[in-house]
Amino acid sequence: MAPTLPALLCLGLSVGLRTQVQAGTFPKPIIWAEPSSVVPSGSSVTILCQGPPNTKSFSLNKEGDSAPRNMHPALKPWDKANFFISNVREQQAGRYHCSHFIGVNWSEPSEPLDLLVAGEEPAGRLRDRPSLSVRPSPSVAPGENVTLLCQSGERTDTFLLSKEGAAHRPLRLRSQDQDRRYQAEFSLSPVTSAHGGTYRCYGSLSTDPYLLSQPSEPLALVVSGLTWYLSVLIGVSVTFVLLLLVLLFLFLHHRGQDRRRKSRAADPGPEDRGPQSSSSPGADAQDQAICEQERRQPVAGHRDFWRQWGGDAEKGGGPGLGTETPHSTPPGAGWWGHRDLWRPWGDAQKGGGLHSIPRDARRGLQP
């Protein structure tokens, strides 16, 4: 009895683990196609399946086929498998799923991937290439409403709109008969930056939903508002940088003024230092005295000197000197009457007589 209890416990644990795996405890893998799920007839495509790390194996299944494709992951962390299909034809078109193997069972299948083959002619139909147009304009701003119109002159059950380089599935709409003109309107509202790109339109029949007509001419949708947003962003950035530079310049200029003001307060100028020492103090004092005397005695003041000298001569004595008038000018002298020239006349009045006057001066004074 004792050995049977552990065996029952192990059996219960294994059944519980299997139940969790069957219930889908493991995450679903992700499936997509490169370069696109819409493949021109005769070209190649790669179907990728990704699961958790350290996956032991992946399986790719096509609805309607009983033999799945199995593949072991080749690169670490062993979470991805690439299923390459060359020379795609009508037989490869269809819906695909993938699963991954971890532990003791397979995971739940991934979301479906519709592999669409364009350019095949099912039952000799869909020879017409549809046309693609845009309203109101192929160049729009963000937030506007845009309509892509797909039309065909042949009977078409479904129109598909595919964007180059997009990972999502093509948009699919049932066609409408407008006076034997089949069309479908794909509305992109409101437009964002993600809507910009190149679009193509395809037609298909309900009897062969995975076979498409020839693609329409490419249509480039330009979201012009991106340039405007970028220009505004650049303008704001440049303005902000210039404002910072102006503030920095004003700060440095104000700081320099403060430094100069402090240096002037610490080092007074020449007007605040008092009298400056000179290499020749006597010469400076003499120059200052001469300037002061010239300022106090203008040129016109020499007349007072002559008037006063004439009065002294009348009182004290030189013969003929009392008759001098202030306007009379001694011979050989100019109007200004320099003091050095007439100093001997004063000596004559004090007692020297005319003999103390220089010979040139006496010659001019004799009657």
Side-chain angles (χ1 to χ4, degrees):
M1 292 296 295
T4 57
L5 183 58
L8 292 176
L9 292 176
C10 292
L11 180 61
L13 292 175
S14 62
V15 171
L17 179 61
R18 185 180 298 274
T19 302
Q20 290 180 357
V21 172
Q22 292 178 354
T25 303
F26 295 138
K28 295 181 180 181
I30 303 173
I31 187 172
W32 72 97
E34 291 182 357
S36 175
S37 59
V38 179
V39 186
S41 178
S43 60
S44 60
V45 66
T46 300
I47 299 178
L48 296 93
C49 188
Q50 184 174 7
N54 300 322
T55 301
K56 293 182 178 179
S57 179
F58 288 92
S59 176
L60 181 65
N61 303 278
K62 179 178 177 291
E63 292 183 1
D65 290 349
S66 57
R69 297 184 180 185
N70 295 329
M71 179 177 292
H72 299 285
L75 299 176
K76 200 173 181 179
W78 302 296
D79 62 345
K80 186 186 301 182
N82 301 336
F83 297 91
F84 179 76
I85 303 175
S86 62
N87 194 16
V88 177
R89 295 295 181 182
E90 179 181 354
Q91 292 77 14
Q92 283 77 37
R95 175 165 292 181
Y96 289 81
H97 299 270
C98 73
S99 303
H100 59 81
F101 185 83
I102 294 181
V104 296
N105 209 338
W106 290 92
S107 69
E108 290 187 4
S110 65
E111 297 295 330
L113 171 68
D114 292 338
L115 189 65
L116 308 175
V117 180
E120 294 285 346
E121 298 179 0
R125 301 289 300 276
L126 296 178
R127 294 184 177 88
D128 185 28
R129 184 190 296 264
S131 62
L132 182 62
S133 59
V134 59
R135 296 194 302 254
S137 171
S139 179
V140 295
E144 294 186 3
N145 298 328
V146 175
T147 300
L148 299 179
L149 179 62
C150 192
Q151 294 178 322
S152 177
E154 286 185 330
R155 177 183 174 273
T156 305
D157 297 330
T158 306
F159 286 101
L160 291 90
L161 182 66
S162 176
K163 179 184 176 183
E164 292 184 359
H168 56 75
R169 301 174 183 177
L171 300 177
R172 185 187 291 263
L173 287 178
R174 295 191 62 86
S175 66
Q176 298 178 357
D177 188 357
Q178 299 289 338
D179 297 331
R180 295 186 180 181
R181 184 78 177 174
Y182 297 89
Q183 66 180 24
E185 296 182 353
F186 296 89
S187 177
L188 306 179
S189 303
V191 174
T192 63
S193 59
H195 290 102
T198 303
Y199 291 85
R200 294 179 185 271
C201 178
Y202 301 86
S204 69
L205 298 175
S206 57
T207 55
D208 298 289
Y210 302 109
L211 299 180
L212 306 181
S213 67
Q214 293 286 343
S216 66
E217 295 296 329
L219 174 68
L221 182 64
V222 179
V223 184
S224 59
L226 293 176
T227 305
W228 183 80
Y229 287 153
L230 185 60
S231 301
V232 172
L233 181 60
I234 293 176
V236 172
S237 301
V238 171
T239 304
F240 182 72
V241 171
L242 292 177
L243 181 60
L244 288 180
L245 292 177
V246 170
L247 293 177
L248 180 60
F249 173 76
L250 293 177
F251 172 75
L252 295 177
H253 181 69
H254 181 70
R255 189 174 180 181
Q257 287 183 344
D258 290 343
R259 289 182 177 179
R260 288 192 295 269
R261 191 178 299 112
K262 292 179 181 179
S263 63
R264 289 176 181 177
D267 186 13
E271 61 276 4
D272 300 332
R273 295 178 183 177
Q276 299 292 326
S277 61
S278 174
S279 59
S280 179
D284 294 340
Q286 183 178 1
D287 293 339
Q288 186 174 1
I290 294 174
C291 292
E292 183 66 20
Q293 186 175 3
E294 290 180 354
R295 183 180 66 82
R296 293 183 178 180
Q297 295 182 358
V299 174
H302 290 287
R303 298 180 180 178
D304 299 335
F305 167 76
W306 286 106
R307 184 180 294 113
Q308 182 179 2
W309 180 86
D312 294 340
E314 290 177 353
K315 294 178 182 180
L321 295 178
T323 61
E324 285 291 329
T325 62
H327 298 285
S328 60
T329 304
W335 168 260
W336 306 109
H338 297 286
R339 298 179 182 178
D340 295 338
L341 179 63
W342 297 104
R343 187 176 293 112
W345 293 93
D347 296 338
Q349 292 177 5
K350 292 180 182 179
L354 292 177
H355 297 285
S356 60
I357 301 176
R359 181 176 301 174
D360 296 335
R362 290 200 309 266
R363 186 180 306 140
L365 292 176
Q366 291 179 0

